[in-house]
Amino acid sequence: MLTYTPAKSGSSPQMNKKRSWLLLLLVFVWLWPGVLHHDLWTPGEPYLFTTVSQWQTSNWAVPTIFGEINWEASPLYTWLAVLCQHLFSPKRMDVYEATRLTNVILIVLTFSCIGGSAREFLGRGYGRIAVLILLGCTGLLIPAHFINDSMILCLGASMCWYGFALAERRIMMASMMLGGGLAVLSLTGSLLWPLLLILIAFSLLLHSKWQSRRYHLVLLISLLCALPLMLIWPLALHQTAANIFNLWWQYHALAPFGGFRHFEAHFSLGYYLKNLIWFAFPAWPLAIWTATRCKLNNLRWGILGIIWLSLSLLVFALLPQQYQDLLVFLLPPLAVLGAAQLDALRRNAIAFLNWFGIMAFGFLAVFLWLGFIAMNYGWPAKLAERAVYFSPYYRYDVNYFPVIVACVLTPLWLWAITRQHIRGRQAVTNWAAGVLLVWSLLLTLFLPWLDAAKSARPVVQQMQNSLSEEQQQAFINMHDCISVNQNSFSMRIAWQQYSWIPLLPDNPHCNYRLISRDSKNTPPPEWHEIWSGARPREKNNIIALWVKSTATKE
């Protein structure tokens, strides 16, 4: 069912339509694991979710978190997430799921752009291959399924790539896609990415294959459309407060390099190349195979891929920030290049990719099923011990609907990999199906276990349970309060989301204080520690509740 077979010359439209529906089914199933039914997972989700939740119409251009500007948050992602919360929460889904729905929408648009560009550049049927290659890239799983604004970068890059693909056939559509992509990239909060795309666009003019009148028109119209849109957010910042705009311009306008006043660079090429190996597999080996089979310098899409990857890797080599999710910017060219010569892939390479996928994902699937049995029923004992070690707050929690989903997907994958006469497309489809199987098993069977390990809720509840009825009543009646350091955002977020007790930042009148300490710190003489706890395996980040010694005596 999940295997795509190249269409023969006499194949009917009904067969092509059937294959399209099978791809849509695969994409639909891939979209949802990780989006539903869990708390905010550290480290990235709590900060970005809080930024979205604290968005204000009076200050709509500035993403903030507890009154501080969150320069790392994408303005466009913040606006889209606020819209999803307004439309879908709380009637249709909870607020966490509604926020993650933003990523579902962004990844669907990304798939559409990359699939369309592969079809324009390579021909009918290649769009499906490019999307299947993306489905198999494990690096896309976390940005696509969790609260993560790097999907704005991926969508903007995909729109620009689609605009380049349409340049020779549909001038206005190409201009809208390229200009729109530049505008989307500018709303990441950094001008680095649209400036890089403009450099790529003008670099193409140096090659004769891109020196056509149509491309000149596309480039001109797209810039005329994009530049006013790119100015909206900076002008809104300036309108909000000139000092905020100056701060952005000087220190954040070229993030992660900094700004036009403070520019910082380090050599990070080794980090990004090392992470690209797993992040974009199997796209990058297939792209290398295409490069060995074709003279890329004689093909429009090949020239675009060479320039895009060369300039991008140069930028990545100098980035001072080592953040692997930025690699989504490289996925559009790698997916299209990987799809180009997939049908010409040698039999031994096809067999290795298929065999490696079956062995790797088969082993992981067996391990996940054993882990599910161990953490809930105690067998195998050694595996059960490791499950308790990594998630000590987990208690027996078996929801039978996710188990049924896992039971359905496992035999479907087994059926898919038993198909004979494997070719390049089937091998890539089997790889994507294997990624889907393992990701689905992890986010169905292990979801409560992961939630207990990655959510701050168990620690918050443990603190609340440690309080006496008298202490709880004092907080309810507001006769007492808990103070916290104003810059302790992680604790403030956790107690805001999971506790009924409000934390007051740096309030000297509170008899209680919540602090973060390491294992060696002890409270000063005027304070007494009444509770301490930590998330799993965070021995040097212990959360403790202190009470004034005078309050204890009273």
Side-chain angles (χ1 to χ4, degrees):
M1 184 181 79
L2 299 177
T3 303
Y4 176 83
T5 305
K8 297 179 181 179
S9 58
S11 61
S12 64
Q14 288 80 5
M15 288 297 293
N16 289 330
K17 190 177 293 186
K18 180 181 178 182
R19 290 167 190 144
S20 298
W21 276 107
L22 292 178
L23 174 64
L24 290 173
L25 177 62
L26 181 62
V27 171
F28 179 81
V29 176
W30 182 90
L31 285 174
W32 298 106
V35 173
L36 307 174
H37 306 309
H38 66 84
D39 290 334
L40 300 175
W41 286 359
T42 56
E45 283 200 318
Y47 286 85
L48 190 52
F49 173 81
T50 305
T51 301
V52 172
S53 299
Q54 295 180 354
W55 181 84
Q56 299 174 356
T57 55
S58 59
N59 203 14
W60 62 271
V62 187
T64 59
I65 177 169
F66 295 115
E68 301 288 333
I69 301 174
N70 186 0
W71 294 111
E72 296 182 357
S74 161
L76 179 57
Y77 185 90
T78 302
W79 302 335
L80 292 175
V82 168
L83 180 61
C84 284
Q85 287 183 359
H86 178 73
L87 293 177
F88 299 103
S89 172
K91 293 183 179 179
R92 295 174 179 84
M93 52 182 63
D94 69 40
V95 67
Y96 304 152
E97 296 169 348
T99 308
R100 295 188 193 102
L101 189 62
T102 309
N103 293 65
V104 174
I105 296 170
L106 293 174
I107 195 63
V108 169
L109 295 174
T110 299
F111 284 162
S112 301
C113 290
I114 294 180
S117 63
R119 178 169 178 164
E120 287 292 329
F121 273 136
L122 306 174
R124 186 178 180 85
Y126 284 94
R128 290 175 239 174
I129 303 175
V131 172
L132 284 170
I133 291 173
L134 283 179
L135 289 177
C137 292
T138 53
L140 197 57
L141 292 173
I142 290 177
H145 293 94
F146 299 113
I147 302 174
N148 188 312
D149 58 359
S150 60
M151 281 312 304
I152 296 292
L153 180 62
C154 192
L155 174 60
S158 303
M159 290 175 66
C160 291
W161 187 270
Y162 194 21
F164 289 127
L166 291 167
E168 284 299 302
R169 197 171 65 87
R170 301 177 64 184
I171 292 176
M172 291 308 300
M173 184 66 178
S175 301
M176 291 175 61
M177 294 303 299
L178 182 55
L182 291 172
V184 168
L185 290 173
S186 70
L187 289 172
T188 58
S190 171
L191 295 178
L192 170 67
W193 305 109
L195 290 176
L196 176 58
L197 250 299
I198 292 173
L199 178 61
I200 291 171
F202 278 98
S203 298
L204 292 174
L205 295 173
L206 299 176
H207 199 282
S208 59
K209 291 287 185 179
W210 286 87
Q211 292 174 355
S212 65
R213 184 186 176 190
R214 284 178 171 269
Y215 179 63
H216 284 83
L217 283 173
V218 167
L219 194 55
L220 176 62
I221 297 172
S222 61
L223 288 176
L224 290 175
C225 294
L227 290 176
L229 295 175
M230 291 169 62
L231 291 175
I232 291 177
W233 185 65
L235 288 176
L237 273 184
H238 191 275
Q239 187 71 20
T240 302
N243 62 321
I244 294 178
F245 171 80
N246 292 333
L247 190 64
W248 171 77
W249 183 261
Q250 294 174 3
Y251 297 100
H252 303 282
L254 297 175
F257 287 111
F260 288 98
R261 179 177 178 180
H262 179 77
F263 189 90
E264 184 180 2
H266 294 290
F267 187 76
S268 303
L269 183 61
Y271 169 84
Y272 284 105
L273 288 179
K274 177 182 66 177
N275 281 277
L276 188 66
I277 293 174
W278 68 266
F279 193 96
F281 190 91
W284 66 264
L286 295 175
I288 292 175
W289 166 252
T290 297
T292 63
R293 290 279 302 179
C294 299
K295 293 183 179 179
L296 297 182
N297 201 43
N298 294 332
L299 300 165
R300 296 181 73 255
W301 52 268
I303 299 160
L304 174 59
I306 291 172
I307 293 177
W308 185 298
L309 293 172
S310 300
L311 292 177
S312 299
L313 287 175
L314 178 61
V315 170
F316 279 108
L318 300 175
L319 283 180
Q321 182 187 46
Q322 295 185 347
Y323 183 47
Q324 65 191 25
D325 286 351
L326 295 177
L327 290 170
V328 296
F329 190 78
L330 302 179
L331 290 181
L334 289 176
V336 175
L337 290 174
Q341 288 294 313
L342 185 61
D343 291 335
L345 197 62
R346 292 176 180 173
R347 288 186 177 273
N348 55 355
I350 294 171
F352 173 77
L353 178 63
N354 195 54
W355 172 84
F356 181 72
I358 291 172
M359 296 299 294
F361 296 123
F363 173 79
L364 288 172
V366 171
F367 177 78
L368 290 173
W369 274 109
L370 279 176
F372 171 74
I373 296 171
M375 68 187 184
N376 289 294
Y377 304 104
W379 182 90
K382 290 291 184 183
L383 199 55
E385 291 176 7
R386 300 310 293 173
V388 172
Y389 172 74
F390 285 104
S391 185
Y393 297 119
Y394 173 73
R395 298 294 179 265
Y396 176 87
D397 184 8
V398 177
N399 187 333
Y400 288 99
F401 179 74
V403 175
I404 292 171
V405 172
C407 289
V408 170
L409 290 176
T410 303
L412 279 178
W413 177 76
L414 290 172
W415 175 80
I417 64 173
T418 56
R419 302 291 294 271
Q420 297 180 352
H421 308 296
I422 298 297
R423 300 175 185 174
R425 301 192 186 201
Q426 288 95 334
V428 168
T429 306
N430 288 348
W431 180 275
V435 170
L436 170 62
L437 172 69
V438 171
W439 182 249
S440 299
L441 291 180
L442 184 65
L443 272 302
T444 51
L445 300 178
F446 276 71
L447 185 61
W449 183 87
L450 288 169
D451 209 21
K454 297 185 72 63
S455 169
R457 186 188 295 270
V459 179
V460 175
Q461 292 180 342
Q462 190 183 71
M463 188 278 279
Q464 291 182 167
N465 294 337
S466 70
L467 300 174
S468 65
E469 291 186 9
E470 182 181 353
Q471 290 170 324
Q472 293 185 26
Q473 197 63 39
F475 295 136
I476 293 173
N477 297 330
M478 300 184 69
H479 295 154
D480 215 331
C481 57
I482 300 177
S483 177
V484 67
N485 189 296
Q486 184 173 355
N487 295 323
S488 297
F489 288 165
S490 59
M491 287 192 294
R492 294 177 67 184
I493 293 170
W495 262 258
Q496 184 184 73
Q497 295 300 319
Y498 309 123
S499 175
W500 54 268
I501 304 174
L503 301 183
L504 303 182
D506 293 329
N507 190 322
H509 303 293
C510 295
N511 288 319
Y512 295 85
R513 186 165 184 84
L514 197 67
I515 61 102
S516 177
R517 63 170 178 84
D518 59 30
S519 57
K520 298 179 181 179
N521 284 4
T522 56
E526 65 271 19
W527 292 90
H528 174 65
E529 185 171 295
I530 60 174
W531 170 85
S532 65
R535 291 182 58 252
R537 302 176 66 206
E538 291 190 357
K539 297 180 181 179
N540 292 322
N541 186 23
I542 299 172
I543 300 174
L545 183 64
W546 292 353
V547 61
K548 286 182 180 178
S549 301
T550 53
T552 306
K553 292 176 183 178
E554 292 174 3

